[in-house]
Amino acid sequence: MIRMTCTGAMAMAAASVLALAACSPKTETTTTTTTTTTSVIAESAATSITSAEASVIESAATLDSFTGKWTGPEGTSLTVTPNGPDYKVIVVNLDGPREFAGTGIDDGIRFTRDGQTFTLRKGNGDDTGMKWLAGKKDCIVVTTGEGYCHD
């Protein structure tokens, strides 16, 4: 018969628990921590643009809507095409086609014809002052009495 003391029984119990723990599958708990460091100052500096640059970008996008061929009454037309940073403006009237250098400005495209400066601006048929274009919606106005439309 085996006689155990209280201390021996506890030691044996502890050894059993350790043996059991060593044989049991181990369950691990892992904690993943993701740290993202963003430098707000560097990011805003890299992605921000000045208001002047934003104005140029917005102006260029707006001026892109001027490009293409616009028709007027009796076979007249106006064609605007990008030409580097500027624009080429071709006006076809009863005298034939004439080409002018245009410069983009805030409210349109400026060009000089026969010593007089004009600014192409967006408008509608009524803005042209021409009865042939009345009611049209997408137009370019050169001056009252001269305009061209897409529709």
Side-chain angles (χ1 to χ4, degrees), residues 11-148:
M12 186 173 237
S16 296
V17 170
L18 288 174
L20 185 60
C23 295
S24 298
K26 204 171 190 180
T27 305
E28 287 187 30
T29 304
T30 58
T31 304
T32 305
T33 304
T34 305
T35 304
T36 305
T37 305
T38 304
S39 172
V40 175
I41 295 170
E43 184 177 298
S44 65
T47 59
S48 69
I49 57 174
T50 67
S51 60
E53 290 169 326
S55 178
V56 168
I57 291 168
E58 183 179 323
S59 178
T62 302
L63 293 178
D64 283 346
S65 69
F66 283 76
T67 62
K69 184 174 183 176
W70 303 80
T71 56
E74 301 177 356
T76 62
S77 67
L78 179 134
T79 304
V80 178
T81 55
N83 188 22
D86 295 317
Y87 295 87
K88 180 169 45 171
V89 178
I90 300 173
V91 178
V92 177
N93 60 22
L94 299 176
D95 297 328
R98 295 178 63 197
E99 185 176 314
F100 307 95
T103 302
I105 59 170
D106 286 340
D107 59 346
I109 298 174
R110 184 169 289 150
F111 73 100
T112 302
R113 174 176 62 192
D114 300 329
Q116 187 175 2
T117 301
F118 297 93
T119 299
L120 301 178
R121 60 182 174 79
K122 293 299 284 267
N124 60 43
D126 296 337
D127 295 334
T128 68
M130 302 173 73
K131 66 179 182 181
W132 302 277
L133 300 178
K136 304 282 184 174
K137 295 185 182 4
D138 188 17
C139 303
I140 287 182
V141 179
V142 178
T143 188
T144 302
E146 183 182 1
Y148 308 88

